[in-house]
Amino acid sequence: TSIIKAYKLENAEAITVVDALTNVELVHAVTTADLTEALKQVASTAATTGVSLSSLIGFITAIKSETRDTANRVGLSLRTMFARIATSSAESLQTLTGVPFFIDETGKATSKVTPVMRNLESIINELAIVFPTLTNAQQAQVAQLVGGTHRLNEAFALFNNFTESIH
């Protein structure tokens, strides 16, 4: 119910959510129960910040399949990461990775700080593309900026396992 409310889905669309969760369970080392529990922790934040449900399921899968953390911790970790990317770490992450976080007055992505931020799904996707090209030290900095001290392992798991779990 929380997932349906967060993403403002119609009841008829609930079967699509169940199908998506079941498909992930068949391919990855993550259960539907784990996905559902993690989604309860982060779905509202994700929907508000522009992360689609399918990408959120992928993000959860990327972290859970690598870390084997509890589903609750994975959901809380993503909630923390979303907040850090959108606030305190935005400018530093832009500088370090070259990924633009903002939208200019013409609607184009820019690194110039403006009142309008791009959706987090796009930012995270681009960070994941850049991540493997960074040095180990730069990767550690990105993980620290995204996850902080307490969610560092989950940030590494998200970016290191991104391609497999998102596609």
Side-chain angles (χ1 to χ4, degrees):
T1 306
S2 62
I3 301 162
I4 292 169
K5 286 182 180 179
Y7 281 95
K8 297 176 177 57
L9 302 174
E10 299 295 323
N11 287 337
E13 295 172 294
I15 192 69
T16 307
V17 174
V18 172
D19 287 345
L21 299 177
T22 303
N23 287 336
V24 169
E25 183 175 34
L26 293 172
V27 179
H28 299 282
V30 180
T31 68
T32 300
D34 287 336
L35 291 167
T36 303
E37 183 60 35
L39 284 165
K40 286 179 192 175
Q41 296 298 325
V42 69
S44 182
T45 301
T48 302
T49 57
V51 177
S52 69
L53 181 57
S54 61
S55 287
L56 180 58
I57 292 169
F59 297 168
I60 292 166
T61 303
I63 296 169
K64 177 74 175 153
S65 63
E66 186 167 314
T67 65
R68 306 307 299 159
D69 283 342
T70 66
N72 187 56
R73 180 170 173 87
V74 172
L76 292 173
S77 294
L78 281 167
R79 196 165 68 196
T80 297
M81 288 185 227
F82 293 166
R84 291 177 63 86
I85 291 168
T87 57
S88 60
S89 297
E91 290 184 58
S92 296
L93 281 167
Q94 273 193 145
T95 302
L96 183 61
T97 64
V99 173
F101 277 43
F102 298 95
I103 297 175
D104 67 15
E105 59 279 347
T106 65
K108 294 182 181 172
T110 182
S111 294
K112 181 183 173 206
V113 178
T114 70
V116 182
M117 182 173 267
R118 295 173 61 209
N119 70 58
L120 283 188
E121 182 173 337
S122 297
I123 293 170
I124 292 169
N125 287 339
E126 288 182 34
L127 287 173
I129 291 167
V130 171
F131 194 78
T133 68
L134 302 173
T135 66
N136 288 342
Q138 290 170 320
Q139 287 180 353
Q141 286 179 304
V142 168
Q144 177 70 40
L145 288 166
V146 170
T149 303
H150 299 292
R151 308 293 191 214
L152 185 65
N153 193 47
E154 290 83 357
F156 271 116
L158 175 63
F159 293 121
N160 287 333
N161 200 25
F162 194 83
T163 304
E164 176 190 338
S165 295
I166 300 305
H167 299 293

